[in-house]
Amino acid sequence: MTQDNKQTPISQNTDEGRVFIFDTTLRDGEQSPGASMTMEEKLQIAEMLDAMGVDIIEAGFPIASNGDFESVQQVALLVKNAQVCALARAGKKDIDRAGDALRKAHAPRIHTFISTSPVHMKYKLKMEAQDVLEMVASSVTHARHYTDNVEWSPEDATRTDKDFLCAVVETAIKAGATTINIPDTVGYTTPQEYHQIITMLRERVPNIDKVILATHCHNDLGLAVANSLAGVAAGARQIECTINGIGERAGNAALEEVVMALNVRQDIMPQWTGIKTQMLAPASKLVSAVTAFPVQYNKAIVGQNAFAHESGIHQDGMLKHNQTYEIMTPESVGISKSSLVMGKHSGRHAFREKISELGYRLGDNQVKDAFVRFKDLADRKKHIFDDDIIALVDDEFAKGGDSIRLVSLSVVSGTEEAQRAHLVLEIDGVQSEVESIGDGPVDALFTAIKTLFPHEAVLQLYKVAAVTQGTDAQAEVSVRLSENGKSVIGRGADTDTMVASARAYISALNKLVIKRQRQAPDSMSA
Ligand code: MN
Protein backbone atom coordinates (compact mmCIF):
# COMPACT_ATOMS: atom_id res chain seq x y z
CA MET A 1 0.00 0.00 0.00
CA THR A 2 1.38 3.41 -0.95
CA GLN A 3 1.45 6.25 1.49
CA ASP A 4 -1.29 8.00 -0.50
CA ASN A 5 -3.72 5.38 0.73
CA LYS A 6 -3.23 6.14 4.39
CA GLN A 7 -6.12 7.71 6.19
CA THR A 8 -6.61 11.14 4.73
CA PRO A 9 -6.64 14.36 6.68
CA ILE A 10 -10.04 15.98 7.11
CA SER A 11 -8.96 19.20 5.54
CA GLN A 12 -5.87 20.15 3.69
CA ASN A 13 -4.47 23.05 1.79
CA THR A 14 -6.21 23.14 -1.59
CA ASP A 15 -3.01 24.18 -3.34
CA GLU A 16 -1.73 20.64 -2.95
CA GLY A 17 -2.34 18.22 -5.77
CA ARG A 18 -3.83 15.22 -3.99
CA VAL A 19 -7.41 14.64 -5.15
CA PHE A 20 -9.62 12.58 -2.83
CA ILE A 21 -11.85 10.01 -4.48
CA PHE A 22 -15.29 9.88 -2.88
CA ASP A 23 -17.17 6.88 -4.22
CA THR A 24 -20.97 6.92 -4.05
CA THR A 25 -21.71 3.68 -5.93
CA LEU A 26 -23.46 2.35 -2.82
CA ARG A 27 -25.63 5.47 -2.35
CA ASP A 28 -26.20 7.50 -5.54
CA GLY A 29 -25.34 4.44 -7.65
CA GLU A 30 -27.84 2.28 -5.84
CA GLN A 31 -30.51 4.91 -6.56
CA SER A 32 -30.32 4.01 -10.26
CA PRO A 33 -33.70 2.56 -11.16
CA GLY A 34 -33.38 -1.23 -10.89
CA ALA A 35 -29.94 -1.27 -9.22
CA SER A 36 -30.85 -2.13 -5.66
CA MET A 37 -28.26 -4.30 -3.91
CA THR A 38 -28.38 -6.72 -1.02
CA MET A 39 -26.27 -6.08 2.07
CA GLU A 40 -23.88 -8.88 1.09
CA GLU A 41 -23.37 -7.31 -2.32
CA LYS A 42 -22.79 -3.89 -0.76
CA LEU A 43 -20.16 -5.34 1.54
CA GLN A 44 -18.44 -7.04 -1.37
CA ILE A 45 -18.30 -3.75 -3.29
CA ALA A 46 -17.19 -1.78 -0.20
CA GLU A 47 -14.30 -4.18 0.34
CA MET A 48 -13.24 -3.78 -3.27
CA LEU A 49 -13.43 0.04 -3.05
CA ASP A 50 -11.40 0.03 0.16
CA ALA A 51 -8.74 -2.22 -1.37
CA MET A 52 -8.46 -0.08 -4.49
CA GLY A 53 -7.66 3.05 -2.51
CA VAL A 54 -10.93 4.99 -2.49
CA ASP A 55 -10.60 7.72 0.17
CA ILE A 56 -14.24 8.07 1.20
CA ILE A 57 -17.02 5.51 0.69
CA GLU A 58 -20.55 6.89 0.84
CA ALA A 59 -22.27 3.76 2.11
CA GLY A 60 -25.92 4.79 2.13
CA PHE A 61 -28.72 6.91 3.47
CA PRO A 62 -29.56 5.46 6.92
CA ILE A 63 -32.95 7.19 7.43
CA ALA A 64 -34.31 5.66 4.19
CA SER A 65 -34.84 2.15 5.58
CA ASN A 66 -33.63 -0.31 8.16
CA GLY A 67 -31.82 -2.11 5.36
CA ASP A 68 -29.90 1.06 4.49
CA PHE A 69 -29.11 1.70 8.14
CA GLU A 70 -27.72 -1.82 8.60
CA SER A 71 -25.71 -1.65 5.40
CA VAL A 72 -23.99 1.55 6.53
CA GLN A 73 -23.34 -0.01 9.92
CA GLN A 74 -21.82 -3.16 8.40
CA VAL A 75 -19.73 -1.24 5.84
CA ALA A 76 -18.42 0.94 8.69
CA LEU A 77 -17.34 -2.20 10.57
CA LEU A 78 -15.73 -3.80 7.54
CA VAL A 79 -13.78 -0.96 5.97
CA LYS A 80 -10.19 -0.59 7.14
CA ASN A 81 -8.70 2.37 5.29
CA ALA A 82 -11.36 4.58 3.76
CA GLN A 83 -13.54 7.05 5.60
CA VAL A 84 -17.14 5.83 5.66
CA CYS A 85 -19.82 8.42 4.95
CA ALA A 86 -23.57 8.41 5.57
CA LEU A 87 -26.04 10.79 3.90
CA ALA A 88 -28.62 12.80 5.84
CA ARG A 89 -31.10 15.52 4.97
CA ALA A 90 -30.98 18.67 7.07
CA GLY A 91 -33.38 17.42 9.76
CA LYS A 92 -32.30 16.32 13.22
CA LYS A 93 -33.78 12.81 12.83
CA ASP A 94 -31.84 12.15 9.62
CA ILE A 95 -28.58 13.26 11.17
CA ASP A 96 -29.15 11.22 14.34
CA ARG A 97 -29.80 8.14 12.24
CA ALA A 98 -26.62 8.73 10.21
CA GLY A 99 -24.60 9.34 13.37
CA ASP A 100 -25.92 6.12 14.93
CA ALA A 101 -25.15 4.03 11.86
CA LEU A 102 -21.55 5.30 11.88
CA ARG A 103 -20.92 4.77 15.58
CA LYS A 104 -18.36 2.02 15.01
CA ALA A 105 -16.62 3.49 11.96
CA HIS A 106 -12.89 4.15 12.42
CA ALA A 107 -13.20 7.34 10.35
CA PRO A 108 -16.85 8.40 10.09
CA ARG A 109 -18.17 11.27 7.97
CA ILE A 110 -21.69 12.70 7.98
CA HIS A 111 -22.83 14.24 4.70
CA THR A 112 -25.80 16.55 5.13
CA PHE A 113 -27.50 18.66 2.49
CA ILE A 114 -30.38 20.98 1.66
CA SER A 115 -31.63 22.46 -1.61
CA THR A 116 -30.59 26.03 -2.33
CA SER A 117 -31.83 26.75 -5.87
CA PRO A 118 -34.92 28.99 -6.26
CA VAL A 119 -36.96 26.25 -7.95
CA HIS A 120 -36.11 23.64 -5.27
CA MET A 121 -36.67 26.01 -2.33
CA LYS A 122 -40.03 27.17 -3.69
CA TYR A 123 -41.55 23.87 -4.90
CA LYS A 124 -39.70 21.10 -3.09
CA LEU A 125 -38.93 22.60 0.32
CA LYS A 126 -41.60 25.34 0.33
CA MET A 127 -39.17 27.41 2.39
CA GLU A 128 -37.88 30.99 2.29
CA ALA A 129 -34.17 31.58 1.66
CA GLN A 130 -33.66 32.91 5.21
CA ASP A 131 -35.11 29.72 6.74
CA VAL A 132 -32.88 27.57 4.51
CA LEU A 133 -29.87 29.54 5.72
CA GLU A 134 -30.85 28.83 9.34
CA MET A 135 -31.29 25.12 8.56
CA VAL A 136 -27.77 25.03 7.11
CA ALA A 137 -26.31 26.34 10.35
CA SER A 138 -28.40 24.10 12.61
CA SER A 139 -27.87 20.90 10.59
CA VAL A 140 -24.09 21.25 10.33
CA THR A 141 -23.88 22.17 14.02
CA HIS A 142 -25.92 19.09 14.92
CA ALA A 143 -23.80 16.79 12.73
CA ARG A 144 -20.68 18.10 14.46
CA HIS A 145 -21.98 16.59 17.71
CA TYR A 146 -21.25 13.17 16.17
CA THR A 147 -18.00 13.80 14.29
CA ASP A 148 -15.64 16.61 13.35
CA ASN A 149 -15.70 15.24 9.78
CA VAL A 150 -18.80 16.87 8.27
CA GLU A 151 -19.55 17.35 4.60
CA TRP A 152 -22.22 19.77 3.50
CA SER A 153 -23.91 20.12 0.09
CA PRO A 154 -26.20 22.78 -1.36
CA GLU A 155 -28.39 20.56 -3.53
CA ASP A 156 -28.85 21.90 -7.07
CA ALA A 157 -25.89 24.25 -6.46
CA THR A 158 -25.31 24.93 -10.14
CA ARG A 159 -28.78 26.51 -10.48
CA THR A 160 -28.48 28.45 -7.23
CA ASP A 161 -28.25 32.25 -7.15
CA LYS A 162 -24.52 33.10 -6.93
CA ASP A 163 -24.74 35.50 -3.97
CA PHE A 164 -26.93 33.06 -2.08
CA LEU A 165 -24.53 30.20 -2.86
CA CYS A 166 -21.67 32.20 -1.32
CA ALA A 167 -23.85 32.93 1.74
CA VAL A 168 -24.86 29.31 2.37
CA VAL A 169 -21.33 28.00 1.90
CA GLU A 170 -20.01 30.65 4.30
CA THR A 171 -22.67 29.65 6.84
CA ALA A 172 -21.82 25.94 6.55
CA ILE A 173 -18.11 26.61 7.07
CA LYS A 174 -18.85 28.81 10.09
CA ALA A 175 -20.98 26.02 11.57
CA GLY A 176 -18.10 23.57 11.20
CA ALA A 177 -18.33 21.83 7.81
CA THR A 178 -14.93 20.48 6.72
CA THR A 179 -15.86 19.50 3.16
CA ILE A 180 -18.08 21.60 0.92
CA ASN A 181 -19.57 19.74 -2.02
CA ILE A 182 -20.99 21.59 -5.02
CA PRO A 183 -23.48 19.22 -6.68
CA ASP A 184 -24.60 19.59 -10.26
CA THR A 185 -27.66 17.64 -9.18
CA VAL A 186 -29.49 17.86 -12.49
CA GLY A 187 -26.48 17.53 -14.83
CA TYR A 188 -26.97 21.03 -16.21
CA THR A 189 -23.63 22.79 -15.95
CA THR A 190 -20.72 22.97 -18.42
CA PRO A 191 -16.97 22.78 -17.72
CA GLN A 192 -16.44 26.52 -18.15
CA GLU A 193 -19.38 27.49 -15.95
CA TYR A 194 -18.48 24.95 -13.25
CA HIS A 195 -14.89 26.21 -13.24
CA GLN A 196 -16.25 29.73 -12.69
CA ILE A 197 -18.47 28.63 -9.79
CA ILE A 198 -15.59 26.94 -7.94
CA THR A 199 -13.30 29.89 -8.66
CA MET A 200 -15.93 32.35 -7.41
CA LEU A 201 -16.35 30.43 -4.15
CA ARG A 202 -12.59 30.38 -3.61
CA GLU A 203 -12.40 34.11 -4.21
CA ARG A 204 -15.42 35.27 -2.26
CA VAL A 205 -16.10 32.94 0.69
CA PRO A 206 -14.14 33.59 3.91
CA ASN A 207 -12.11 30.59 5.18
CA ILE A 208 -12.80 28.57 2.03
CA ASP A 209 -9.13 27.55 2.08
CA LYS A 210 -9.76 25.72 5.38
CA VAL A 211 -12.09 23.19 3.75
CA ILE A 212 -11.96 20.70 0.90
CA LEU A 213 -14.12 21.63 -2.08
CA ALA A 214 -15.81 18.69 -3.78
CA THR A 215 -17.43 18.03 -7.16
CA HIS A 216 -20.58 15.93 -7.61
CA CYS A 217 -21.57 16.01 -11.26
CA HIS A 218 -24.38 14.20 -13.02
CA ASN A 219 -24.13 13.06 -16.61
CA ASP A 220 -27.41 14.23 -18.17
CA LEU A 221 -25.50 16.09 -20.90
CA GLY A 222 -22.58 13.66 -20.97
CA LEU A 223 -20.39 16.24 -19.20
CA ALA A 224 -20.01 14.75 -15.72
CA VAL A 225 -16.34 13.78 -16.08
CA ALA A 226 -15.40 16.99 -17.93
CA ASN A 227 -17.17 19.10 -15.29
CA SER A 228 -15.47 17.23 -12.44
CA LEU A 229 -12.04 17.80 -13.99
CA ALA A 230 -12.88 21.49 -14.56
CA GLY A 231 -13.71 21.66 -10.85
CA VAL A 232 -10.33 20.16 -9.98
CA ALA A 233 -8.59 22.64 -12.28
CA ALA A 234 -10.32 25.43 -10.33
CA GLY A 235 -9.15 24.04 -6.98
CA ALA A 236 -11.62 21.32 -5.94
CA ARG A 237 -9.79 18.42 -4.28
CA GLN A 238 -12.50 15.79 -3.93
CA ILE A 239 -14.35 14.12 -6.79
CA GLU A 240 -17.61 12.30 -6.08
CA CYS A 241 -18.08 9.50 -8.57
CA THR A 242 -19.28 5.93 -9.09
CA ILE A 243 -17.96 2.76 -10.70
CA ASN A 244 -19.18 2.58 -14.32
CA GLY A 245 -20.78 6.01 -13.76
CA ILE A 246 -24.00 4.48 -12.42
CA GLY A 247 -26.41 6.75 -10.54
CA GLU A 248 -29.66 8.69 -10.76
CA ARG A 249 -30.93 9.10 -14.36
CA ALA A 250 -27.90 9.31 -16.71
CA GLY A 251 -25.62 8.64 -13.76
CA ASN A 252 -22.62 10.27 -12.09
CA ALA A 253 -19.04 10.94 -13.16
CA ALA A 254 -17.36 7.57 -13.77
CA LEU A 255 -14.62 6.86 -11.24
CA GLU A 256 -12.46 4.98 -13.75
CA GLU A 257 -12.62 7.89 -16.22
CA VAL A 258 -11.69 10.71 -13.83
CA VAL A 259 -8.88 8.62 -12.35
CA MET A 260 -7.36 7.65 -15.70
CA ALA A 261 -7.76 11.18 -17.14
CA LEU A 262 -5.69 12.53 -14.24
CA ASN A 263 -3.29 9.61 -14.57
CA VAL A 264 -2.69 9.82 -18.33
CA ARG A 265 -2.58 13.63 -18.58
CA GLN A 266 -0.20 14.42 -15.73
CA ASP A 267 1.48 16.82 -18.17
CA ILE A 268 -1.44 19.24 -18.06
CA MET A 269 -3.29 18.11 -14.90
CA PRO A 270 -0.63 17.74 -12.21
CA GLN A 271 -3.09 16.35 -9.63
CA TRP A 272 -3.17 12.74 -8.48
CA THR A 273 -5.33 10.23 -6.66
CA GLY A 274 -4.53 7.23 -4.46
CA ILE A 275 -6.37 4.74 -6.67
CA LYS A 276 -4.70 1.48 -7.70
CA THR A 277 -5.64 1.67 -11.35
CA GLN A 278 -5.10 -2.06 -11.95
CA MET A 279 -8.27 -2.66 -9.95
CA LEU A 280 -10.50 -0.53 -12.20
CA ALA A 281 -11.54 -3.31 -14.59
CA PRO A 282 -12.29 -5.88 -11.84
CA ALA A 283 -14.33 -3.23 -9.97
CA SER A 284 -16.28 -2.43 -13.12
CA LYS A 285 -17.07 -6.12 -13.65
CA LEU A 286 -18.18 -6.59 -10.07
CA VAL A 287 -20.57 -3.62 -10.13
CA SER A 288 -21.92 -4.62 -13.53
CA ALA A 289 -22.55 -8.17 -12.29
CA VAL A 290 -24.20 -7.07 -9.04
CA THR A 291 -26.56 -4.61 -10.75
CA ALA A 292 -26.96 -6.55 -14.03
CA PHE A 293 -26.31 -3.23 -15.79
CA PRO A 294 -24.21 -4.07 -18.85
CA VAL A 295 -21.20 -1.87 -19.59
CA GLN A 296 -21.52 -0.42 -23.08
CA TYR A 297 -18.93 -1.90 -25.49
CA ASN A 298 -17.34 1.44 -26.30
CA LYS A 299 -17.32 2.71 -22.69
CA ALA A 300 -14.05 4.56 -21.92
CA ILE A 301 -11.47 2.60 -19.87
CA VAL A 302 -13.54 -0.49 -19.04
CA GLY A 303 -15.67 -1.22 -22.13
CA GLN A 304 -15.08 -4.48 -23.97
CA ASN A 305 -13.76 -2.55 -26.99
CA ALA A 306 -11.79 0.10 -25.10
CA PHE A 307 -8.50 -1.54 -26.08
CA ALA A 308 -9.57 -3.48 -29.19
CA HIS A 309 -7.93 -2.52 -32.46
CA GLU A 310 -9.93 -3.67 -35.44
CA SER A 311 -8.74 -1.75 -38.50
CA GLY A 312 -5.73 -3.09 -40.38
CA ILE A 313 -3.86 0.22 -40.26
CA HIS A 314 -4.25 0.44 -36.47
CA GLN A 315 -3.27 -3.20 -35.95
CA ASP A 316 -0.19 -2.72 -38.09
CA GLY A 317 0.80 0.37 -36.11
CA MET A 318 0.20 -1.41 -32.80
CA LEU A 319 2.44 -4.30 -33.84
CA LYS A 320 5.25 -1.88 -34.73
CA HIS A 321 4.92 0.17 -31.54
CA ASN A 322 2.00 0.11 -29.12
CA GLN A 323 2.18 3.85 -28.45
CA THR A 324 1.05 4.54 -32.02
CA TYR A 325 -2.60 4.12 -31.04
CA GLU A 326 -2.58 3.44 -27.31
CA ILE A 327 -2.48 6.27 -24.72
CA MET A 328 -2.48 3.80 -21.81
CA THR A 329 -1.99 0.05 -21.59
CA PRO A 330 -4.83 -2.40 -20.87
CA GLU A 331 -2.69 -3.82 -18.05
CA SER A 332 -2.62 -0.41 -16.34
CA VAL A 333 -6.39 -0.61 -15.79
CA GLY A 334 -6.40 -4.29 -14.91
CA ILE A 335 -7.39 -5.81 -18.23
CA SER A 336 -5.29 -8.90 -18.77
CA LYS A 337 -5.21 -10.17 -22.33
CA SER A 338 -7.34 -13.32 -22.06
CA SER A 339 -4.90 -14.77 -19.62
CA LEU A 340 -5.14 -18.53 -19.44
CA VAL A 341 -5.02 -18.94 -15.74
CA MET A 342 -6.05 -22.21 -14.29
CA GLY A 343 -6.73 -25.77 -15.24
CA LYS A 344 -7.82 -29.12 -13.90
CA HIS A 345 -4.69 -29.55 -11.86
CA SER A 346 -4.65 -26.21 -10.07
CA GLY A 347 -4.87 -26.62 -6.33
CA ARG A 348 -6.91 -24.80 -3.75
CA HIS A 349 -4.00 -22.58 -2.77
CA ALA A 350 -3.51 -21.35 -6.34
CA PHE A 351 -7.27 -20.87 -6.61
CA ARG A 352 -7.35 -18.79 -3.44
CA GLU A 353 -4.41 -16.67 -4.71
CA LYS A 354 -6.20 -16.12 -8.01
CA ILE A 355 -9.47 -14.98 -6.47
CA SER A 356 -7.68 -12.59 -4.16
CA GLU A 357 -5.70 -11.25 -7.16
CA LEU A 358 -9.06 -10.65 -8.85
CA GLY A 359 -10.08 -8.48 -5.91
CA TYR A 360 -12.30 -10.84 -3.91
CA ARG A 361 -12.10 -11.41 -0.17
CA LEU A 362 -13.92 -14.65 0.60
CA GLY A 363 -14.43 -16.53 3.82
CA ASP A 364 -13.10 -20.09 4.13
CA ASN A 365 -16.46 -21.71 3.44
CA GLN A 366 -17.03 -19.53 0.40
CA VAL A 367 -13.60 -20.48 -0.96
CA LYS A 368 -14.39 -24.14 -0.34
CA ASP A 369 -17.72 -23.95 -2.17
CA ALA A 370 -16.26 -21.93 -5.03
CA PHE A 371 -13.35 -24.37 -5.35
CA VAL A 372 -15.71 -27.34 -5.71
CA ARG A 373 -17.51 -25.45 -8.47
CA PHE A 374 -14.17 -24.62 -10.09
CA LYS A 375 -13.07 -28.28 -10.18
CA ASP A 376 -16.40 -29.23 -11.65
CA LEU A 377 -16.04 -26.54 -14.30
CA ALA A 378 -12.47 -27.62 -15.09
CA ASP A 379 -13.80 -31.10 -15.88
CA ARG A 380 -16.21 -29.72 -18.43
CA LYS A 381 -14.31 -26.80 -19.95
CA LYS A 382 -10.84 -26.98 -21.44
CA HIS A 383 -9.58 -23.46 -20.85
CA ILE A 384 -10.46 -21.48 -17.77
CA PHE A 385 -9.96 -17.71 -17.94
CA ASP A 386 -10.11 -14.96 -15.34
CA ASP A 387 -13.63 -14.15 -16.51
CA ASP A 388 -14.75 -17.72 -15.83
CA ILE A 389 -13.53 -17.49 -12.28
CA ILE A 390 -15.14 -14.08 -11.82
CA ALA A 391 -18.48 -15.48 -13.06
CA LEU A 392 -18.18 -18.46 -10.77
CA VAL A 393 -17.32 -16.45 -7.67
CA ASP A 394 -20.02 -13.86 -8.43
CA ASP A 395 -22.44 -16.74 -8.76
CA GLU A 396 -21.42 -18.01 -5.32
CA PHE A 397 -22.15 -14.57 -3.92
CA ALA A 398 -25.40 -14.22 -5.85
CA LYS A 399 -27.11 -17.10 -4.13
CA GLY A 400 -28.67 -14.72 -1.64
CA GLY A 401 -30.37 -16.61 1.18
CA ASP A 402 -30.93 -20.27 0.57
CA SER A 403 -34.56 -20.94 1.37
CA ILE A 404 -34.80 -22.36 -2.15
CA ARG A 405 -32.15 -24.68 -3.57
CA LEU A 406 -31.77 -26.28 -6.99
CA VAL A 407 -31.45 -30.05 -6.64
CA SER A 408 -31.72 -31.24 -10.23
CA LEU A 409 -32.96 -30.14 -13.60
CA SER A 410 -33.41 -31.71 -17.00
CA VAL A 411 -34.85 -29.92 -19.98
CA VAL A 412 -36.02 -31.27 -23.31
CA SER A 413 -35.95 -28.85 -26.22
CA GLY A 414 -35.96 -29.05 -30.00
CA THR A 415 -38.33 -29.09 -32.97
CA GLU A 416 -40.02 -32.44 -32.41
CA GLU A 417 -42.21 -32.02 -29.35
CA ALA A 418 -43.30 -29.54 -26.70
CA GLN A 419 -40.40 -28.26 -24.57
CA ARG A 420 -40.42 -29.79 -21.10
CA ALA A 421 -38.60 -29.18 -17.85
CA HIS A 422 -38.28 -31.70 -15.03
CA LEU A 423 -37.25 -29.87 -11.87
CA VAL A 424 -36.46 -30.83 -8.29
CA LEU A 425 -36.20 -28.03 -5.70
CA GLU A 426 -35.54 -28.07 -2.00
CA ILE A 427 -37.65 -25.42 -0.29
CA ASP A 428 -36.90 -24.83 3.41
CA GLY A 429 -35.44 -28.33 3.63
CA VAL A 430 -38.28 -30.12 1.85
CA GLN A 431 -37.80 -31.58 -1.63
CA SER A 432 -40.50 -31.45 -4.26
CA GLU A 433 -40.58 -32.05 -8.01
CA VAL A 434 -42.64 -31.17 -11.04
CA GLU A 435 -42.66 -31.55 -14.80
CA SER A 436 -43.86 -28.57 -16.83
CA ILE A 437 -44.25 -27.79 -20.50
CA GLY A 438 -43.85 -24.35 -21.97
CA ASP A 439 -43.42 -22.20 -25.02
CA GLY A 440 -39.70 -22.87 -25.27
CA PRO A 441 -37.34 -24.39 -22.68
CA VAL A 442 -36.92 -21.22 -20.60
CA ASP A 443 -40.67 -20.82 -20.30
CA ALA A 444 -41.03 -24.48 -19.30
CA LEU A 445 -38.31 -24.07 -16.68
CA PHE A 446 -39.70 -20.84 -15.19
CA THR A 447 -43.20 -22.33 -15.12
CA ALA A 448 -41.81 -25.31 -13.18
CA ILE A 449 -40.16 -22.99 -10.64
CA LYS A 450 -43.38 -21.02 -10.24
CA THR A 451 -45.35 -24.22 -9.70
CA LEU A 452 -43.04 -25.39 -6.90
CA PHE A 453 -42.65 -21.91 -5.38
CA PRO A 454 -45.81 -19.91 -6.18
CA HIS A 455 -45.24 -16.12 -6.22
CA GLU A 456 -46.59 -12.93 -7.77
CA ALA A 457 -43.21 -11.44 -8.77
CA VAL A 458 -43.01 -10.15 -12.34
CA LEU A 459 -40.08 -11.06 -14.58
CA GLN A 460 -38.62 -7.76 -15.79
CA LEU A 461 -35.38 -8.89 -17.35
CA TYR A 462 -33.87 -12.12 -18.63
CA LYS A 463 -30.38 -11.70 -20.03
CA VAL A 464 -27.86 -14.29 -21.20
CA ALA A 465 -24.21 -13.44 -21.79
CA ALA A 466 -21.27 -15.65 -22.68
CA VAL A 467 -18.50 -15.20 -20.12
CA THR A 468 -15.70 -15.96 -22.57
CA GLN A 469 -15.45 -16.90 -26.25
CA GLY A 470 -16.02 -20.37 -27.65
CA THR A 471 -18.97 -22.78 -27.68
CA ASP A 472 -17.95 -24.29 -24.31
CA ALA A 473 -18.09 -20.84 -22.66
CA GLN A 474 -20.07 -20.47 -19.43
CA ALA A 475 -23.41 -18.73 -19.76
CA GLU A 476 -24.01 -15.95 -17.25
CA VAL A 477 -27.71 -15.32 -16.79
CA SER A 478 -29.29 -12.33 -15.05
CA VAL A 479 -32.90 -12.27 -13.96
CA ARG A 480 -34.67 -9.24 -12.50
CA LEU A 481 -37.91 -9.84 -10.59
CA SER A 482 -40.14 -7.20 -9.11
CA GLU A 483 -42.81 -7.46 -6.46
CA ASN A 484 -44.74 -4.53 -4.92
CA GLY A 485 -42.27 -2.00 -6.33
CA LYS A 486 -39.21 -3.82 -5.01
CA SER A 487 -36.87 -5.31 -7.53
CA VAL A 488 -34.04 -7.78 -7.16
CA ILE A 489 -31.39 -9.16 -9.48
CA GLY A 490 -30.46 -12.81 -9.50
CA ARG A 491 -27.48 -14.22 -11.32
CA GLY A 492 -26.33 -17.68 -12.25
CA ALA A 493 -23.43 -19.11 -14.21
CA ASP A 494 -22.96 -22.54 -15.73
CA THR A 495 -21.81 -24.13 -18.98
CA ASP A 496 -25.45 -25.20 -19.39
CA THR A 497 -27.60 -22.16 -20.19
CA MET A 498 -30.73 -23.76 -18.69
CA VAL A 499 -28.98 -24.57 -15.41
CA ALA A 500 -27.60 -21.00 -15.29
CA SER A 501 -31.14 -19.70 -15.92
CA ALA A 502 -32.55 -21.81 -13.09
CA ARG A 503 -29.82 -20.63 -10.72
CA ALA A 504 -30.44 -16.98 -11.65
CA TYR A 505 -34.20 -17.22 -11.17
CA ILE A 506 -33.83 -19.05 -7.86
CA SER A 507 -31.22 -16.57 -6.61
CA ALA A 508 -33.64 -13.71 -7.39
CA LEU A 509 -36.43 -15.49 -5.51
CA ASN A 510 -34.15 -16.08 -2.51
CA LYS A 511 -33.33 -12.37 -2.43
CA LEU A 512 -36.99 -11.48 -2.73
CA VAL A 513 -37.76 -13.61 0.31
CA ILE A 514 -35.22 -11.52 2.27
CA LYS A 515 -36.41 -8.26 0.75
CA ARG A 516 -40.06 -8.86 1.65
CA GLN A 517 -39.19 -7.98 5.23
CA ARG A 518 -37.71 -4.61 4.28
CA GLN A 519 -39.15 -1.23 3.30
CA ALA A 520 -38.41 0.44 0.00
CA PRO A 521 -35.91 3.31 0.32
CA ASP A 522 -37.18 6.86 -0.24
CA SER A 523 -36.12 8.46 -3.43
CA MET A 524 -33.28 10.87 -2.77
CA SER A 525 -31.19 13.13 -4.84
CA ALA A 526 -28.32 15.50 -3.93
MN1 MN B 1 -26.34 12.75 -6.99
Side-chain angles (χ1 to χ4, degrees), residues 24 27-28 31 183-185 216-218 240 248-249 251-252 524-526:
T24 183
R27 201 278 299 167
D28 208 318
Q31 287 172 212
D184 184 29
T185 306
H216 180 110
C217 298
H218 277 270
E240 306 200 356
E248 294 257 25
R249 307 181 311 278
N252 290 67
M524 275 304 326
S525 24

Side-chain angles (χ1 to χ4, degrees), residues 497-516:
T497 309
M498 288 305 113
V499 174
S501 303
R503 285 185 196 281
Y505 200 111
I506 291 167
S507 122
L509 282 176
N510 275 324
K511 287 184 184 175
L512 213 51
V513 173
I514 298 168
K515 204 132 191 154
R516 275 178 185 158

Side-chain angles (χ1 to χ4, degrees), residues 197-247:
I197 292 171
I198 301 290
T199 304
M200 171 196 77
L201 291 170
R202 291 189 70 198
E203 284 170 358
R204 288 180 51 186
V205 177
N207 293 319
I208 194 87
D209 56 331
K210 303 285 194 301
V211 302
I212 294 279
L213 277 168
T215 69
H216 180 110
C217 298
H218 277 270
N219 207 30
D220 298 71
L221 294 173
L223 293 171
V225 168
N227 291 336
S228 305
L229 294 173
V232 168
R237 286 295 176 269
Q238 173 179 301
I239 299 176
E240 306 200 356
C241 47
T242 58
I243 303 289
N244 295 338
I246 66 171

